[in-house]
């Protein structure tokens, strides 16, 4: 292995560990969601596998791996097989730039911190639609096609409002680097949720739509489309779509924390910089809890209302926010 | 770190690619395939498929895609301006306001033509 410099090997190991942590987090997020939905509906949730159902993710994984891997007769085999992998690959990409906290010497704890971090996250999210669209098309089933097309239209419609809701943050912070945005919030002693609560709300709503979560889970609306884009998938390929969806949930929660809730900012971080990781994870956990809470509370939207809500309400509102914040920032100048 | 962020992201990408590759190979390994004709049919709630899959879908979705391209390019144009807004000051604000007004006329036109209402 003498061709590779040491830092590249260390980096590859770090990346592997990070991906392992993210996938484990996914597994327990899924268990948590089932438990919580149980409590919301006065049930217990999974209890049989291990104490308190803690082995449930492992049991699910083994079950999925041991199921027969079906490919429908008419399917476009190559695309059918790579679509789930593509979905999970693009979901994992965002974690390359997310700063989880700060080291004592002031460098962000991240795989990489490019100065266009937020654009990279948006780009990775935008590519994520391919996994779903291709999976829905390649199954050559009517349900899958409708689910995939719906999902594509929904994702691109809400992506606009999402991109626009981030611009006020960029204007206040004056940088597109995620670590820089967090540092700007700490420097001003102001979480951007306070001046920018409407963009923060828009980002929250579009984040739900981008991750196909209730009340925007129309791509997989069980009552109308069987299971949407993954109707024909079985075995681990079916599970892979869920991995991608839940990893995306964690991603948008993390981005929301970084942009609007000060990242790892919190009490006592000046004395103990490593505490930023703890605060960051606590905030991401709260975001995820709220996302699951919404699923238990809200009914699913009708498709025409979903589209008009995105185009006629969220888009103009976010443009108005951009104009107002731009006016204030421009009038205050470089202060 | 002796490398640019993009080299690092490329290495991360390769690791993620390996993980995704493993996930897409594993499902075939531990199981035997026992396909039957019924199993391989596309699922239509248990009844035999009534018509061929033609891959057609409502033309409305094309319109959404076209509108998306227009407004997404606009969103991309906002970012460099947003980063430098503090230095540009009121001049930058007025310049961008002109751009938004022009775009707003297009938006109003599409709205009036019914481009945003789902029928």
């Amino acid at each position: 292995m003498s061709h590779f410099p040491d830092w590249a090997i260390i980096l590859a190991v770090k990346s592997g560990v990070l991906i392992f942590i993210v996938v484990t987090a996914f597994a327990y997020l899924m268990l948590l969601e089932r438990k919580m939905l149980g409590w919301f509906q006065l049930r217990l949730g999974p209890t049989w596998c291990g104490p308190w159902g803690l082995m449930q993710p492992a049991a699910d994984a083994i079950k999925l791996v041991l199921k027969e891997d079906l490919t429908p007769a008419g399917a476009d085999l190559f695309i059918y097989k790579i679509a789930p992998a593509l979905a999970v690959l693009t979901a994992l990409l965002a974690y390359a730039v997310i700063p989880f906290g700060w080291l004592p010497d002031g460098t962000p704890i991240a795989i990489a911190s490019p100065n266009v971090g937020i654009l990279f996250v948006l780009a990775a999210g935008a590519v994520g639609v391919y996994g779903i669209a291709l999976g829905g098309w390649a199954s050559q089933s009517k349900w899958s096609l409708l689910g995939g097309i719906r999902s594509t239209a929904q994702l691109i419609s809400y992506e606009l409002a999402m991109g626009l809701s981030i611009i006020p943050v960029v204007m206040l912070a004056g940088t597109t680097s995620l670590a820089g945005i967090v540092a700007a919030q700490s420097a001003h002693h102001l979480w951007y949720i306070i001046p920018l609560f409407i963009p923060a709300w828009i980002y929250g709503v579009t984040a739900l739509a981008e991750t196909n979560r209730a009340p925007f889970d129309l791509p997989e609306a069980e009552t109308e489309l069987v299971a949407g884009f993954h109707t024909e998938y079985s075995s681990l390929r079916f599970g892979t779509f869920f991995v991608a969806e839940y990893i995306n949930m964690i991603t948008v929660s993390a981005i929301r924390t970084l942009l609007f809730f000060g990242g790892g900012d919190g009490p006592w971080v000046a004395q103990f910089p490593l505490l930023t990781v703890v605060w960051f994870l606590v905030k991401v956990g709260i975001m995820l809890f709220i996302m699951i809470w919404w699923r238990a509370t809200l009914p699913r939207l009708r498709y025409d209302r979903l589209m008009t809500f995105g185009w006629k309400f969220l888009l103009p509102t976010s443009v108005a926010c951009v104009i107002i914040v731009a006016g204030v920032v421009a009038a205050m100048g470089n202060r | 770190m002796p490398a640019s962020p993009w080299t690092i992201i490329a290495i991360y990408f390769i690791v993620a690619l390996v993980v995704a590759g493993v996930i897409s190979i594993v499902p075939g390994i531990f199981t035997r395939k026992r396909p039957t004709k019924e199993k391989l049919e596309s699922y239509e709630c248990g009844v035999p498929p009534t018509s061929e899959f033609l891959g057609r879908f409502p033309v409305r979705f094309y319109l959404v895609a076209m509108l998306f391209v227009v407004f997404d390019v606009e969103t991309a144009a906002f970012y460099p301006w947003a980063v430098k807004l503090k230095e540009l000051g009121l001049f930058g604000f007025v310049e961008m306001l002109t751009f938004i007004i022009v775009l707003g006329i297009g938006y109003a036109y599409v709205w009036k033509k019914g481009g945003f209402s789902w029928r």
Side-chain angles (χ1 to χ4, degrees):
Chain A
M1 296 293 276
S2 59
H3 303 301
F4 298 106
D6 282 347
W7 62 265
I9 295 167
I10 292 171
L11 191 67
V13 173
K14 267 195 210 166
S15 310
V17 171
L18 177 64
I19 290 174
F20 178 76
I21 292 173
V22 170
V23 172
T24 312
F26 141 73
Y28 280 94
L29 177 62
M30 200 154 190
L31 175 67
L32 183 72
E33 171 161 30
R34 290 171 66 179
K35 275 281 183 193
M36 278 178 39
L37 286 179
W39 298 334
F40 281 125
Q41 297 164 1
L42 303 180
R43 298 183 282 115
L44 283 176
T47 51
W48 277 57
C49 301
W52 204 70
L54 280 178
M55 297 310 287
Q56 187 69 40
D60 284 344
I62 293 168
K63 190 193 94 172
L64 282 173
V65 169
L66 295 181
K67 289 285 175 186
E68 184 178 346
D69 176 31
L70 268 180
T71 42
D76 187 325
L77 264 186
F78 179 67
I79 297 178
Y80 180 83
K81 294 211 163 160
I82 63 161
L86 192 64
V88 84
L89 173 68
T90 51
L92 282 172
L93 263 188
Y95 289 88
V97 296
I98 290 180
F100 293 91
W102 303 88
L103 287 175
D105 62 355
T107 49
I109 304 171
I111 296 285
S113 21
N115 49 13
V116 290
I118 187 64
L119 293 180
F120 181 81
V121 172
L122 281 176
V127 182
V129 71
Y130 281 108
I132 291 172
L134 290 178
W137 183 81
S139 305
Q140 304 278 308
S141 152
K142 290 157 202 161
W143 300 123
S144 307
L145 180 77
L146 276 177
I149 293 291
R150 268 188 177 194
S151 177
T152 312
Q154 170 184 336
L155 291 182
I156 63 179
S157 300
Y158 279 73
E159 208 171 280
L160 294 174
M162 179 183 249
L164 285 167
S165 70
I166 292 170
I167 286 173
V169 175
V170 176
M171 285 191 294
L172 286 192
T175 172
T176 49
S177 143
L178 284 169
I181 290 171
V182 175
Q185 293 180 62
S186 312
H188 294 132
H189 300 292
L190 180 70
W191 293 359
Y192 287 157
I193 177 80
I194 298 165
L196 303 176
F197 59 93
I198 296 175
W201 174 77
I202 292 175
Y203 184 84
V205 173
T206 52
L208 281 179
E210 289 287 304
T211 49
N212 294 333
R213 298 286 304 171
F216 302 109
D217 57 346
L218 285 112
E220 43 193 281
E222 294 91 342
T223 45
E224 358 173 347
L225 289 183
V226 186
F229 58 91
H230 50 55
T231 302
E232 299 292 342
Y233 281 90
S234 62
S235 176
L236 196 61
R237 286 186 213 291
F238 171 74
T240 309
F241 277 120
F242 278 90
V243 179
E245 180 183 328
Y246 280 77
I247 289 179
N248 279 329
M249 265 175 82
I250 305 175
T251 312
V252 292
S253 301
I255 297 299
R256 209 165 166 221
T257 306
L258 292 170
L259 294 182
F260 297 108
F261 291 88
D265 195 20
W268 309 300
V269 289
Q271 291 90 344
F272 309 101
L274 283 176
L275 209 57
T276 48
V277 180
V278 178
W279 291 125
F280 178 72
L281 294 180
V282 167
K283 288 176 192 173
V284 172
I286 294 171
M287 300 292 153
L288 289 169
F289 172 78
I290 294 172
M291 280 181 106
I292 299 171
W293 192 357
W294 274 331
R295 174 173 174 185
T297 307
L298 298 172
R300 184 178 296 138
L301 264 76
R302 219 171 61 197
Y303 196 72
D304 58 333
R305 290 190 178 165
L306 172 97
M307 297 305 275
T308 45
F309 180 64
W311 284 99
K312 288 186 174 175
F313 181 73
L314 285 182
L315 188 61
T317 313
S318 45
V319 173
C321 289
V322 168
I323 295 172
I324 293 167
V325 177
V328 173
V329 170
M332 280 172 64
N334 205 353
R335 249 180 292 174
Chain B
M1 192 60 71
S4 85
W6 301 108
T7 322
I8 298 171
I9 289 175
I11 293 173
Y12 177 86
F13 179 78
I14 292 167
V15 176
L17 197 66
V18 170
V19 172
V22 168
I23 288 180
S24 62
I25 290 169
V26 162
I29 295 179
F30 298 104
T31 51
R32 253 190 301 168
K33 288 202 173 189
R34 296 194 190 82
T36 63
K37 188 173 167 293
E38 285 74 22
K39 251 196 231 174
L40 293 181
E41 268 172 9
S42 67
Y43 179 75
E44 294 197 1
C45 305
V47 293
T50 49
S51 60
E52 285 293 299
F53 173 84
L54 296 170
R56 296 198 298 194
F57 52 86
V59 72
R60 297 274 332 164
F61 289 107
Y62 286 104
L63 188 62
V64 172
M66 282 195 305
L67 292 175
F68 165 73
V69 172
V70 175
F71 289 102
D72 199 44
V73 171
E74 157 225 5
T75 313
F78 275 135
Y79 272 88
W81 165 75
V83 173
K84 282 286 163 204
L85 184 64
K86 279 181 189 168
E87 280 110 277
L88 294 173
L90 278 176
F91 168 73
F93 175 65
V94 174
E95 287 281 293
M96 208 50 171
L97 203 59
T98 323
F99 177 69
I100 292 176
I101 288 169
V102 173
L103 203 85
I105 296 169
Y107 179 81
Y109 176 75
V110 178
W111 188 319
K112 189 160 181 300
K113 281 280 172 185
F116 298 132
S117 37
W118 199 262
R119 286 184 303 256

